[in-house]
Amino acid sequence: MSERLLTVNDLNVRYGKVEALYGASLSVDRGTIVSVIGPNGAGKSTLLNAVMGVLPSRGIIEFCGNNMGNVSIERRVAQGLCLVPETRELFSQMSVEDNLELGAFTRYRRGDKGIRATLDSVFKLFPRLEQRRSQMAGSLSGGERQMLALGRALMCQPTLLMLDEPSLGLAPLIVKEILNNISSLRSTGVSILLIEQNARAALQISDYGYVLENGEIALEGPSRELANNPRVIESYLGIGGVEAKIEC
Amino acid sequence: MDFQTLLILAQDAVTNSAIYALLALSLILVFGVTRVIFVAQGEFVSYGALTLASLQMGVMPGTVWLLLMLAGIAAVMETFRLLTSGAGQELPRSLATVLVPPLVIAGLVKVCTPLHLPLGWQVLLTMLIVMPMGPLLYRVAFRPLADATVLVLLIAAVAVHFVLVGLGLLFFGAEGVRTPPFSDAQFQFGFLSVSGQSLWVYVASSVFIALLAWFFNKTLYGKALRAVAFNRNGARLVGISPHLAGTFSFALASAIGCLSGVLIGPVTTLYYDSGFLIGLKGFVGAIVGGMASYPLAAFGALIVGFSESFSSFWLSGYKDVVVFTMIIPVLLWRSLSTVHYEEEE
Amino acid sequence: MIRRFGYMLFLLLLLIIPMFPSFYLTMGSYIGLYSIVAIGLVLLTGVAGLTSFGQAAFMGLGAYTSAVLTTHLAWSPWLALFVAIALTVTVAFILGAITLRMGGHYLPLATIAWGISLYFLFGTIPILGGSNGISDIQALRLFGMELTDEKIFYYLIWGVCLVALWISTNLLDSREGRAIRALKGGVSMVEAFGASGLRLKNVVFIYSAVLACLAGWLYAHMQRFVNPSPFGLNQGIEFLFMITIGGAFSFWGAITGATVITLLKTVLQGILPKLISQSGNFEIIVFGIMIVVVLQWMRGGIWAFVERLLPQKAARPVARSSDLDMRIQPMKGTPLLKVTDVTKAYGGLIAVKGMNFDISSGEIVGLIGPNGAGKSTMFNLISGEVPHTAGDITFGNHIISGLRPPRIAKLGLSRTFQHVRLIPGMSTIENVMIGAYLRTHDGIFSAGLSLNRASDERVRAEAARQLRRVGLEGSMFDPAGSLSLGNQRVVEIARALCADPLLLLLDEPAAGLRHLEKKELANLLSDLRKEGLSVLIVEHDMDFLMNLVDRFVVMEFGEKLAEGLPQEIRSNPAVLEAYLGGV
């Protein structure tokens, strides 16, 4: 039986300028990849930011059996919850290597000795980062930045990695590479909560999927089933049923 | 002006520049990490010199009381915060961090003050008293305002400046002090005669700047501080707490301020309120550096030091006017060379 | 009712203070003087989000200018006042021009430096008397009467203060004032409606400096003696403390703060030295602590409390019809906007590459594409917010690429913002009125003297008309921040319509809306189309636009991928691929 890693129950976010969330519930089991798909503005990023603690929210967020209610972002990171935001948030005036080292900041504070080894494994996963280790992060190409963002998150040895639109703004070939990387992470034991507007790709690499529409979970199910669900096909995998959605 | 005078002025300029450079670095660091334009930085300079002077006279310095007061207020605030956020179990540890070091230091000072220790130990004691004030001030005054605008933080910093100057007068009185020099030696290099104290200033500040450079470039904590200054959100997402970074940067600020005060105490007479102007001159240096670049700020500090020293020769009454008016052309130059237009908070 | 009662009580108090012993009279005069300065500082800090530590220095400039001119040159104080104001305007203009283009913290830093410089100058320049200052300054003469009586001077000060209050209040309730109130949220919104943010900031700074100068001039002729000490940096800081404690968001907060600080200072200066048995300005310790506490616990200051207790101000009724001049919309089908080979590069990164498309009058065009395709950059190139690298954008007969947003707005282009940019505390109708910035022309002076009433009423009626048009008439007087996100976006559209545009640019108007809200928005836009409006919508959500637009332009990777009628785009394989991606 798989172990429940993250439980989000009845999460509400209503906060000024962000896309709102109305009573969203979802869960992630250990060792799985879960994707959340949905149109732009449906509240997907809001969901991740709320789970991370970047946005204030009402509702229950349980990670590894602990309530995250009053826990600061830093503590969540230390407990193995990691977010790669849509904006990447790299330290662009610092070198690739410094960025990666800082990813392990919470482990360093704990006196973890295995940081070097993790760095090597990240370089193995993304050889291109090793080639550019002393280059400033700001001078990397879009794909390399995404790799660095992923690598930096992996440096903290997350239990659950949350990825917000990892394919955003990347050329198709690079998207493919990044998604392959993500898919291969499963074997390292990392669980992933993935947000993608590229619905077909997301459902292909994930085990379970949720469809978020207008701030609410509209559908959920194993990814393969979702990929064959007529409604999902219409709205996200094909453009057939467009008229059905707007009655003018 | 003959060559001799020129050399003397230049020597003076370099001594002051070294101090301004230290202060400018710390101002930029604190601003980058916490967005606080810490105008009260200079108060640590006067506190450092005056505390040392008190210890010299065998008097318990008033700054010890301030340290204890700050620790007390911080303890109350910490208790309130932890209890209201339902994290009461962290209270003992948190209170211990806030209260124990100041109490130990106060005890130490009480024991050591009458002993008339050698100068080196007294300097160390002075550092021990003044340095914790930075983090405590951050905890008491700025941390609750962490989400406020730069403007609000600036007003708070000015308020802290008022409090510290007022307390300085209360603790040390209106009289100025000059602490004994670290060295009475005079060195003769051809024309140039350099006092041992000036050498101390050069060496100590160079060593400190080198230490800072090492800290920021080679250690993970130093890199973490830079990371916070570059990208606050990114830093939080890798688990660097902004409060931890704020505490650190304020500790550096008080350490740098105190060190500067101890170094120039023997060179200039310092009053309870002299630190402010010294700090502001460091600011002019920092502004030259655009509040962001450390090397440019150090360069700015050199300009400030030289213009001060030479204008005191030619236009003695107007030296401060010259220094402070200088930032207008500097700002003009920055304004013209900047492309950045929109600023959002 | 309670408000009116409050005003009466306040005026009555002002009137009877001179009947108390002279100590109270002196206090009253000082409070009046400081209130004048603080009112200017509220406008600068609380309203426009800038700040200055140099207000005391401006006061000193006013005082010293008049002192020198009336004693050494025996000029009339009234003539000296003109010179003082001219000097102040010059200095403020230079300081502002230098610092206001940069980050918000450069102005306070520059004013700290300039405040210190001036203080030292007062103390060193021989003709200014050094630290002894200048004495025997002429008394003011008014209608042949010498104003030496303290009571008369008290009334004069408060007269000036009340006039300053009246002018400042009028100013905020005008087209320039509404734009000034928007400055805190960044300048791009007001610039999109034709105001220059830099100019407005400068105007506010100069205005507040002139008020300080005026107070200084009054001070010099009240005391008939000046020395440097009241004009130092500490006094400049105290002014900032006054408005922080009193409340930086209201002119009444300025008067409250000036009163509290002045009285408290007097009391503390009496008590503290005795308590400590040492002499010195120990009140600054108390002030400093008070400020930190106020900032942490009640950021709105004292007046924010009072304001909460007072009843809401009743909204003024709105005139039924607006007769503002309208643009003549070009014939349907006339070419309106033409984008030719437009490229935008950020360093090595090319965000938009050789884009070509056009829009004709009466047409709704949807600019769509997946996230990160460069739509928003394209939008900002048209609105002028982002300078282009190559190519041309023509609007009507004008090349607009390379122009700043205010110029483009003037030509009839109006926009909304993806991240709603309303002023949350201001009423919805006032927010919409900002849209009409370019349709009336009252300046600062006519606004201050309330000569703009008639044209402002017309703008109000026009804003109300636009709110009716979009169906939000009912929320006209509610604060814009209290509306739902969906309605806030509609308010943004109303504000853009209020500018009477030839072309409306909408930036992701449906993002973050719920299903029903999207449907309502689509209905609204389709109604507007019936009225002949030309619109360019940048959107990610293709479904939302499918039945709405006449034509689609599709972008991917900064380039145009396809263009055509909705049906064509829906079945275009390249578009499908871009939207769905493929692995």
Side-chain angles (χ1 to χ4, degrees):
Chain A
M1 218 195 83
S2 58
E3 179 196 346
R4 186 62 42 103
L5 198 59
L6 175 77
T7 312
V8 173
N9 208 346
D10 194 20
L11 194 67
N12 287 280
V13 179
R14 290 218 61 188
Y15 172 73
K17 291 173 179 174
V18 305
E19 297 142 8
L21 213 54
Y22 306 93
S25 301
L26 59 79
S27 57
V28 180
D29 288 347
R30 194 179 281 277
T32 60
I33 299 184
V34 172
S35 59
V36 179
I37 60 173
N40 216 27
K44 297 184 305 252
S45 298
T46 304
L47 174 69
L48 289 198
N49 282 325
V51 172
M52 195 64 217
V54 178
L55 290 178
S57 59
R58 274 185 300 114
I60 293 169
I61 302 168
E62 247 181 44
F63 179 63
C64 294
N66 301 320
N67 188 349
M68 294 281 115
N70 264 323
V71 179
S72 67
I73 301 176
E74 301 82 49
R75 291 267 173 87
R76 295 185 206 210
V77 176
Q79 292 181 21
L81 187 61
C82 241
L83 169 69
V84 178
E86 196 180 318
T87 43
R88 319 295 191 240
E89 305 289 350
L90 297 173
F91 308 118
S92 47
Q93 294 110 310
M94 298 173 92
S95 72
V96 166
E97 193 167 357
D98 283 350
N99 269 276
L100 290 173
E101 274 183 26
L102 284 167
F105 183 75
T106 53
R107 294 173 66 197
Y108 182 83
R109 283 198 78 191
R110 283 200 298 270
D112 192 326
K113 293 275 177 282
I115 297 177
R116 222 44 261 171
T118 318
L119 186 64
D120 290 338
S121 68
V122 167
F123 280 150
K124 200 168 285 168
L125 188 66
F126 303 111
R128 255 197 280 178
L129 291 185
E130 187 164 23
Q131 289 159 21
R132 307 202 187 285
R133 64 196 295 170
S134 53
Q135 211 169 306
M136 292 293 130
S139 68
L140 299 180
S141 73
E144 288 162 351
R145 278 166 198 244
Q146 182 55 39
M147 288 173 193
L148 180 56
L150 268 175
R152 189 179 71 180
L154 289 174
M155 286 299 290
C156 85
Q157 287 192 323
T159 327
L160 177 64
L161 185 57
M162 300 193 286
L163 305 175
D164 194 351
E165 304 268 10
S167 74
L168 184 73
L170 301 182
L173 260 173
I174 303 183
V175 170
K176 207 163 177 177
E177 192 180 341
I178 294 274
L179 289 173
N180 280 336
N181 290 144
I182 293 169
S183 169
S184 70
L185 285 178
R186 192 195 328 236
S187 59
T188 63
V190 184
S191 314
I192 292 172
L193 180 58
L194 171 71
I195 278 182
E196 258 298 339
Q197 51 157 337
N198 189 334
R200 196 184 286 168
L203 290 179
Q204 239 168 57
I205 63 169
S206 62
D207 304 293
Y208 199 84
Y210 292 87
V211 179
L212 193 66
E213 278 176 1
N214 304 315
E216 290 160 79
I217 301 280
L219 268 177
E220 63 175 292
S223 296
R224 199 160 307 165
E225 282 175 27
L226 275 188
N228 293 319
N229 180 312
R231 212 187 127 197
V232 176
I233 294 176
E234 272 179 13
S235 311
Y236 303 104
L237 303 180
I239 286 197
V242 171
E243 278 121 324
K245 291 199 67 197
I246 295 182
E247 304 97 348
C248 285
Chain B
M1 178 176 13
D2 59 23
F3 189 60
Q4 192 78 36
T5 328
L6 187 90
L7 281 180
I8 291 173
L9 287 178
Q11 187 191 336
D12 222 37
V14 175
T15 315
N16 290 334
S17 303
I19 300 298
Y20 298 151
L22 276 175
L23 295 173
L25 294 188
S26 122
L27 288 165
I28 289 182
L29 174 73
V30 169
F31 178 66
V33 172
T34 61
R35 296 178 306 128
V36 176
I37 298 180
F38 194 45
V39 286
Q41 162 91 53
E43 267 65 70
F44 293 130
V45 177
S46 6
Y47 277 18
L50 293 164
T51 303
L52 182 61
S54 296
L55 289 173
Q56 293 267 312
M57 289 182 286
V59 180
M60 181 93 161
T63 29
V64 174
W65 300 116
L66 175 59
L67 182 64
L68 292 176
M69 238 149 55
L70 282 173
I73 299 170
V76 172
M77 289 174 81
E78 198 64 4
T79 312
F80 182 74
R81 180 182 71 88
L82 288 173
L83 290 184
T84 48
S85 69
Q89 73 280 4
E90 294 171 31
L91 198 56
R93 195 173 151 259
S94 163
L95 285 187
T97 355
V98 172
L99 286 175
V100 173
L103 283 171
V104 171
I105 292 167
L108 206 62
V109 175
K110 181 108 185 92
V111 175
C112 296
T113 308
L115 299 181
H116 288 284
L117 294 170
L119 184 62
W121 290 103
Q122 288 183 339
V123 169
L124 192 70
L125 216 52
T126 306
M127 290 291 275
L128 277 179
I129 298 170
V130 178
M131 193 173 142
M133 285 184 195
L136 285 172
L137 274 177
Y138 170 71
R139 177 62 194 91
V140 170
F142 298 105
R143 183 172 155 173
L145 295 173
D147 59 343
T149 59
V150 173
L151 207 71
V152 168
L153 289 169
L154 174 59
I155 296 175
V158 170
V160 167
H161 152 65
F162 260 37
V163 176
L164 292 184
V165 170
L167 289 174
L169 176 61
L170 181 62
F171 296 147
F172 302 108
E175 258 131 77
V177 296
R178 211 179 248 257
T179 48
F182 294 6
S183 143
D184 295 319
Q186 282 289 333
F187 300 93
Q188 204 66 39
F189 301 101
F191 282 120
L192 186 61
S193 151
V194 179
S195 70
Q197 185 61 31
S198 296
L199 273 184
W200 259 104
V201 175
Y202 305 154
V203 173
S205 48
S206 313
V207 167
F208 206 83
I209 288 176
L211 269 176
L212 283 177
W214 171 80
F215 174 70
F216 285 124
N217 289 307
K218 297 293 173 204
T219 68
L220 197 60
Y221 277 99
K223 287 178 192 172
L225 279 188
R226 277 169 64 214
V228 175
F230 288 143
N231 182 346
R232 200 163 278 107
N233 289 332
R236 292 205 82 173
L237 290 177
V238 297
I240 304 169
S241 143
H243 300 319
L244 183 77
T247 308
F248 244 93
S249 63
F250 268 81
L252 274 173
S254 49
I256 288 175
C258 180
L259 180 81
S260 310
V262 167
L263 284 174
I264 54 160
V267 185
T268 7
T269 308
L270 287 176
Y271 300 85
Y272 71 100
D273 61 350
S274 325
F276 184 57
L277 276 192
I278 297 175
L280 281 185
K281 285 173 191 166
F283 241 115
V284 179
I287 290 173
V288 175
M291 299 295 291
S293 155
Y294 296 92
L296 262 182
F299 174 68
L302 265 177
I303 299 182
V304 175
F306 273 86
S307 13
E308 184 184 18
S309 161
F310 283 85
S311 58
S312 70
F313 180 75
W314 279 310
L315 308 152
S316 62
Y318 297 93
K319 89 174 181 188
D320 290 318
V321 178
V322 169
V323 170
F324 288 108
T325 313
M326 209 174 73
I327 87 162
I328 303 292
V330 169
L331 286 174
L332 177 65
W333 162 66
R334 291 206 68 84
S335 161
L336 292 178
S337 61
T338 191
V339 276
H340 183 78
Y341 189 76
E342 173 78 324
E343 193 216 23
E344 284 183 50
E345 298 248 28
Chain C
M1 200 40 217
I2 293 184
R3 276 179 191 271
R4 182 156 302 166
F5 185 67
Y7 294 140
M8 300 310 274
L9 203 67
F10 173 67
L11 286 179
L12 191 69
L13 192 70
L14 284 184
L15 277 176
I16 59 168
I17 276 183
M19 294 163 196
F20 289 97
S22 80
F23 169 77
Y24 294 94
L25 185 65
T26 315
M27 280 291 107
S29 298
Y30 274 109
I31 291 173
L33 276 177
Y34 294 154
S35 296
I36 297 173
V37 184
I39 285 171
L41 205 51
V42 160
L43 196 63
L44 186 68
T45 308
V47 179
L50 301 163
T51 207
S52 157
F53 291 95
Q55 299 311 92
F58 285 120
M59 220 180 139
L61 198 60
Y64 265 95
T65 307
S66 196
V68 171
L69 292 180
T70 55
T71 50
H72 293 290
L73 301 177
W75 283 27
S76 145
W78 299 99
L79 202 56
L81 176 62
F82 273 102
V83 178
I85 289 180
L87 255 178
T88 304
V89 170
T90 313
V91 171
F93 177 78
I94 293 172
L95 283 178
I98 290 173
T99 56
L100 289 172
R101 273 165 55 88
M102 296 184 291
H105 51 276
Y106 280 100
L107 181 66
L109 289 182
T111 52
I112 288 182
W114 124 267
I116 293 180
S117 295
L118 199 71
Y119 174 73
F120 282 126
L121 276 180
F122 289 151
T124 10
I125 296 182
I127 198 176
L128 301 184
S131 52
N132 294 328
I134 302 173
S135 43
D136 300 324
I137 298 172
Q138 279 181 41
L140 282 186
R141 287 179 157 278
L142 198 57
F143 310 120
M145 182 174 61
E146 227 176 40
L147 301 183
T148 41
D149 183 1
E150 217 190 334
K151 282 183 190 165
I152 296 181
F153 217 95
Y154 165 90
Y155 286 123
L156 175 68
I157 288 174
W158 275 100
V160 171
C161 181
L162 292 180
V163 170
L165 183 70
W166 180 71
I167 290 179
S168 306
T169 312
N170 285 339
L171 185 59
L172 280 195
D173 189 20
S174 71
R175 80 192 250 279
E176 302 278 20
R178 284 183 291 272
I180 288 169
R181 285 193 269 172
L183 287 176
K184 255 200 266 184
V187 295
S188 65
M189 191 269 278
V190 291
E191 302 227 313
F193 293 104
S196 155
L198 194 60
R199 188 187 133 260
L200 289 173
K201 286 180 181 175
N202 234 323
V203 162
V204 175
F205 182 49
I206 291 173
Y207 177 79
S208 71
V210 167
L211 281 185
C213 163
L214 190 62
W217 177 79
L218 283 169
Y219 175 91
H221 294 285
M222 177 179 82
Q223 295 275 321
R224 316 228 352 237
F225 162 73
V226 290
N227 71 337
S229 65
F231 309 122
L233 183 61
N234 273 12
Q235 186 59 44
I237 293 173
E238 267 173 36
F239 285 128
L240 206 60
F241 284 6
M242 285 176 193
I243 64 162
T244 308
I245 287 191
F249 305 103
S250 159
F251 296 124
W252 293 103
I255 296 175
T256 311
T259 312
V260 170
I261 292 275
T262 311
L263 294 181
L264 201 63
K265 189 170 178 171
T266 314
V267 172
L268 289 175
Q269 274 176 343
I271 299 174
L272 285 182
K274 272 181 221 146
L275 210 65
I276 303 168
S277 59
Q278 216 190 98
S279 66
N281 301 329
F282 294 108
E283 74 279 359
I284 61 175
I285 304 177
V286 180
F287 287 170
I289 293 172
M290 265 170 70
I291 290 296
V292 173
V293 171
V294 165
L295 289 179
Q296 288 184 8
W297 296 96
M298 38 187 273
R299 217 170 280 172
I302 296 171
W303 194 256
F305 265 135
V306 180
E307 190 72 47
R308 233 171 290 153
L309 299 178
L310 292 175
Q312 285 282 316
K313 262 187 232 166
R316 254 184 297 149
V318 182
R320 195 61 201 169
S321 72
S322 152
D323 50 356
L324 282 181
D325 292 340
M326 306 252 296
R327 282 198 176 86
I328 298 159
Q329 296 284 342
M331 287 270 293
K332 196 169 160 69
T334 322
L336 200 55
L337 183 84
K338 192 166 174 56
V339 174
T340 321
D341 295 327
V342 168
T343 295
K344 171 68 193 174
Y346 291 100
L349 186 81
I350 295 181
V352 170
K353 194 168 156 195
M355 275 296 286
N356 283 293
F357 67 91
D358 45 20
I359 298 173
S360 305
S361 187
E363 194 180 29
I364 299 192
V365 173
L367 180 61
I368 60 167
N371 261 357
K375 308 180 298 272
S376 284
T377 312
M378 190 63 240
F379 185 96
N380 288 330
L381 288 171
I382 299 174
S383 69
E385 195 160 349
V386 170
H388 73 314
T389 313
D392 276 319
I393 304 173
T394 337
F395 182 61
N397 302 319
H398 306 270
I399 295 184
I400 58 169
S401 41
L403 297 185
R404 300 267 320 133
R407 296 281 308 280
I408 297 178
K410 214 168 200 165
L411 297 172
L413 213 105
S414 189
R415 66 169 291 186
T416 63
F417 290 86
Q418 186 183 346
H419 296 289
V420 173
R421 297 218 175 174
L422 300 173
I423 305 150
M426 203 157 102
S427 69
T428 303
I429 188 166
E430 281 181 295
N431 268 289
V432 174
M433 286 166 83
I434 291 178
Y437 183 85
L438 287 173
R439 296 177 72 183
T440 53
H441 304 281
D442 300 294
I444 299 288
F445 290 102
S446 63
L449 300 176
S450 198
L451 303 174
N452 63 336
R453 283 293 134 229
S455 69
D456 222 47
E457 279 313 314
R458 269 187 267 158
V459 172
R460 246 166 92 81
E462 170 70 5
R465 185 175 78 90
Q466 298 300 351
L467 279 169
R468 261 196 300 281
R469 196 173 170 194
V470 300
L472 281 179
E473 202 183 357
S475 318
M476 203 150 32
F477 301 115
D478 298 338
S482 71
L483 304 184
S484 72
L485 179 64
N487 281 343
Q488 290 192 17
R489 283 198 197 277
V490 175
V491 173
E492 284 239 330
I493 294 175
R495 183 178 65 195
L497 289 173
C498 204
D500 185 28
L502 296 175
L503 175 64
L504 185 61
L505 299 179
L506 303 178
D507 193 357
E508 304 225 6
L513 297 195
R514 308 188 76 174
H515 189 59
L516 249 151
E517 293 176 323
K518 281 188 189 178
K519 238 167 64 181
E520 281 169 9
L521 182 63
N523 289 337
L524 168 65
L525 292 175
S526 118
D527 287 348
L528 290 178
R529 189 224 331 247
K530 280 183 207 137
E531 296 174 32
L533 199 68
S534 323
V535 187
L536 174 69
I537 309 181
V538 168
E539 250 304 329
H540 171 88
D541 188 347
M542 201 196 291
D543 301 342
F544 167 67
L545 297 182
M546 203 41 96
N547 290 319
L548 185 65
V549 300
D550 299 301
R551 226 153 31 87
F552 271 122
V553 175
V554 189
M555 281 182 83
E556 198 193 13
F557 299 118
E559 290 180 85
K560 187 163 81 178
L561 184 69
E563 185 173 0
L565 302 174
Q567 296 82 352
E568 296 164 16
I569 293 299
R570 186 193 300 173
S571 50
N572 183 323
V575 175
L576 289 181
E577 192 58 25
Y579 256 80
L580 307 171
V583 175

